[in-house]
Amino acid sequence: MMWETVIGLETHVELSTRSKLFCGCSTAFGGAPNSQCCPVCMGMPGALPVLNRAVVDYAVQVGMALGCAITPVQRFDRKNYFYPDLPKAYQISQLYLPVGRDGQVEIDTAAGRKTIGIHELHMEEDAGKLMHDPWLEQTRVDYNRCGVPLLEIVTRPDFRTAEEVVAYLEKLKETLHYLGVSDCKMEEGSLRCDVNLSVRPAGSDVLGTRTEMKNLNSFKAIARAIGYEARRQMEVLEEGGQVVQETRRWDENKDASYAMRSKENTQDYRYFPEPDLPPVVVSEEHKQRLLDSRPELGEEKRRLYAQQYGLPAYDCQMLTSHRALAAFFEALVALGTPAKQGANWVMGQVLGALSARGLAPEALPITPPTLAALIRMVEEGRLNRNTAVKVFEAVFDQDGDVEAYVAAHGLEQVRDTGVVERTVAQVLEEHPQPVADVRAGKEKAFGFLVGQVMRRLAGQGDPQLVREVLQEKLGEG
Ligand code: ADP
Ligand code: MG
Ligand code: ZN
């Protein structure tokens, strides 16, 4: 039997507003346990939530970027369940009237372009964090994360491979990153993924019974969990068994998943409209204002770089791999650097220097004016390419003054024809054999002579000029 894997994703994204969804507490990561809480986010009786409008703006911005229809009048609902990380014993979420519905995300894989449908996205509050201490046989709870705003983005069951899932998550991360609404750090839990997966006979259009794997927090874990779970379900079915609809936990250390609990239904949560919060109204004007203030997305920048600057697809991809890098490149171009030159320097030297130092593009020490000045000196023939790379390395960390550095170290290219001619004459005199070789048609010897002249000029000769003068003098003999 040929099987087909079917996957749908639920992704939780922590939004990077400074304060929580329904109170003024800080959302900062890594604070001392229970130092960022108040009666509202700790669920004290009688404490009332007040909506943080910045969260709505972020959520609507994401909804529009994902092509969703935004719900003009939204509501919050209570999702009731008891768990020690949830002090109110209910989570404020949106079930009936979420932020938006029916969007799509374009992904690119080796197999080509494909559209993944977005079923819906909604706002909800995060829960606290439980810390189990097996030695003391204790569990402690940190409520700092309670009430941190989350956006849950639910896709249609449109994925067929792990590769598609990873491409989608990368695209989603890019979109969130360009919008500036989340830091998307999987390792800090600000982007978490539940994978719903079923298998069915290839060609069938009926969905099989699915399982859900919770809180996968790396691309590697997601890809491995998908491979494992698809094989497990196929084996169950091939042996004549039935897949049980359940929630499973992926154990990264054991490279296997195991059943956690049978799947709960919507009814189990006894959802009902949240009585303590008014409806959320998003007008057409408000959406337009958000659109007008929206930063360009990676996809839009790639199109622009290709059309406006004529850059190849590879360059467009590399330059937009990070928002800070794209901004740096655009600043270079705005300072008059030819686009292709700028692109080459950013993709070569800038990325190289960052990775050698283990720096993120946001932490780039060199500024666009410094690199633009350096590139201009090369363009004007005042620095040769090799020397410019050395100057770049020298000024990178302190954003040093290129002109001053070049002057202080006497690095400017020797373009004085008189100096070059004298040097060439000396070299020709000292190396009669290579000179004879060149005249006998041995090209290699010419390169040798160029090298000798450059050496005498301490590497600062203008290579073009050196070649010209050499050719001329050799022709004379
Ligand atoms: P719930 O709210 O119970 O988690 P939903 O119907 O909202 O369930 O679906 C959750 C996710 O599971 C969605 O991403 C959806 O695309 C996916 N999904 C639903 N049914 C299947 C299935 N049979 N196989 C794979 N994925 C599925
Ligand atoms: Mg679910
Ligand atoms: Zn609070």
Side-chain angles (χ1 to χ4, degrees):
M1 172 82 80
M2 286 281 284
W3 299 100
E4 178 178 58
T5 307
V6 175
I7 304 162
L9 285 194
E10 293 161 283
T11 307
H12 286 92
V13 181
E14 267 181 12
L15 295 175
S16 53
T17 52
R18 260 170 303 157
S19 56
K20 293 184 180 180
L21 182 50
F22 300 120
C23 62
C25 294
S26 165
T27 57
F29 179 81
N34 298 309
S35 63
Q36 296 159 202
C37 331
C38 72
V40 172
C41 56
M42 290 203 302
M44 299 291 178
L48 288 172
V50 178
L51 177 62
N52 178 354
R53 282 298 304 203
V55 176
V56 180
D57 287 355
Y58 280 21
V60 171
Q61 198 69 285
V62 175
M64 291 191 294
L66 300 181
C68 290
I70 302 301
T71 313
V73 181
Q74 304 167 22
R75 288 225 54 138
F76 283 100
D77 301 291
R78 280 192 190 179
K79 180 179 182 179
N80 298 279
Y81 67 95
F82 175 77
Y83 207 64
D85 62 6
L86 188 73
K88 296 198 298 291
Y90 60 84
Q91 178 193 32
I92 303 181
S93 180
Q94 294 181 307
L95 178 69
Y96 302 109
L97 294 166
V99 173
R101 288 194 170 108
D102 298 326
Q104 61 281 319
V105 172
E106 303 274 328
I107 59 165
D108 293 297
T109 64
R113 189 151 258 230
K114 174 169 177 175
T115 304
I116 302 299
I118 301 293
H119 172 53
E120 58 106 5
L121 82 164
H122 63 263
M123 295 178 275
E124 61 187 29
E125 54 180 343
D126 209 344
K129 232 185 254 178
L130 297 178
M131 281 160 297
H132 306 290
D133 187 331
W135 298 105
L136 294 175
E137 292 190 11
Q138 271 184 354
T139 295
R140 286 180 259 184
V141 60
D142 176 5
Y143 288 131
N144 284 353
R145 205 177 62 181
C146 252
V148 166
L150 290 179
L151 201 56
E152 178 169 349
I153 303 164
V154 184
T155 75
R156 297 192 186 286
D158 287 346
F159 303 98
R160 297 293 173 267
T161 62
E163 192 199 0
E164 289 177 1
V165 169
V166 169
Y168 162 81
L169 287 170
E170 270 172 353
K171 189 69 180 288
L172 182 63
K173 264 180 86 164
E174 182 191 90
T175 303
L176 298 166
H177 173 68
Y178 271 91
L179 291 176
V181 298
S182 172
D183 61 20
C184 294
K185 288 186 183 153
M186 284 186 117
E187 66 284 4
E188 288 183 9
S190 46
L191 189 121
R192 319 195 279 269
C193 224
D194 302 345
V195 175
N196 294 270
L197 186 150
S198 62
V199 300
R200 64 184 176 192
S204 160
D205 52 10
V206 184
L207 288 173
T209 303
R210 66 165 150 149
T211 60
E212 178 170 1
M213 286 177 289
K214 284 272 188 205
N215 285 341
L216 295 161
N217 59 3
S218 73
F219 286 171
K220 193 181 128 228
I222 289 166
R224 299 188 72 88
I226 287 173
Y228 173 92
E229 181 59 13
R231 271 193 305 281
R232 189 191 69 82
Q233 291 188 15
M234 289 171 198
E235 276 165 24
V236 168
L237 295 173
E238 294 205 329
E239 284 164 12
Q242 278 191 321
V243 174
V244 179
Q245 183 167 341
E246 64 193 358
T247 302
R248 298 177 68 85
R249 184 188 290 282
W250 175 250
D251 188 329
E252 212 165 344
N253 302 320
K254 298 207 182 79
D255 225 23
S257 73
Y258 55 90
M260 230 162 77
R261 55 171 188 260
S262 66
K263 174 76 188 158
E264 58 288 294
N265 291 313
T266 303
Q267 299 92 289
D268 296 336
Y269 291 120
R270 294 153 28 248
Y271 275 101
F272 63 87
E274 167 60 58
D276 289 341
L277 286 162
V280 183
V281 178
V282 182
S283 67
E284 286 301 315
E285 298 77 63
H286 192 72
K287 280 196 297 187
Q288 194 55 50
R289 263 203 310 283
L290 288 173
L291 275 181
D292 292 343
S293 68
R294 165 168 121 186
E296 248 169 347
L297 300 176
E299 187 82 42
E300 293 164 343
K301 286 191 186 295
R302 284 190 284 280
R303 209 174 309 129
L304 186 84
Y305 293 0
Q307 281 169 1
Q308 195 153 317
Y309 307 136
L311 293 178
Y314 176 81
D315 294 25
C316 298
Q317 191 62 44
M318 289 283 278
L319 294 170
T320 57
S321 62
H322 204 285
R323 193 170 65 162
L325 211 60
F328 187 90
F329 165 72
E330 286 171 25
L332 276 182
V333 174
L335 289 164
T337 304
K340 184 59 187 158
Q341 298 280 347
N344 289 346
W345 276 88
V346 171
M347 295 188 299
Q349 268 63 48
V350 173
L351 278 180
L354 283 173
S355 88
R357 291 160 178 78
L359 288 177
E362 288 97 345
L364 199 57
I366 195 171
T367 59
T370 301
L371 183 53
L374 185 62
I375 297 174
R376 196 172 316 117
M377 289 185 84
V378 178
E379 289 271 294
E380 290 169 356
R382 293 173 57 205
L383 279 185
N384 70 36
R385 178 80 204 173
N386 287 342
T387 310
V389 169
K390 285 182 197 134
V391 174
F392 174 84
E393 278 298 327
V395 299
F396 182 82
D397 293 291
Q398 309 296 329
D399 192 34
D401 183 327
V402 170
E403 288 281 351
Y405 186 89
V406 168
H409 294 79
L411 294 176
E412 201 150 330
Q413 204 157 244
V414 178
R415 284 179 303 163
D416 179 330
T417 317
V419 173
V420 174
E421 278 175 348
R422 273 196 301 282
T423 313
V424 166
Q426 280 167 0
V427 167
L428 293 186
E429 208 180 294
E430 282 167 24
H431 299 282
Q433 188 55 48
V435 171
D437 288 349
V438 173
R439 290 187 174 135
K442 291 187 189 161
E443 304 229 342
K444 245 179 149 173
F446 186 75
F448 169 81
L449 292 172
V450 172
Q452 290 302 312
V453 175
M454 287 301 267
R455 216 165 87 180
R456 278 181 172 264
L457 295 170
Q460 283 150 246
D462 174 347
Q464 185 63 28
L465 181 62
V466 168
R467 287 176 166 273
E468 276 167 23
V469 173
L470 254 178
Q471 246 147 11
E472 200 180 284
K473 297 256 176 204
L474 284 165
E476 281 168 7

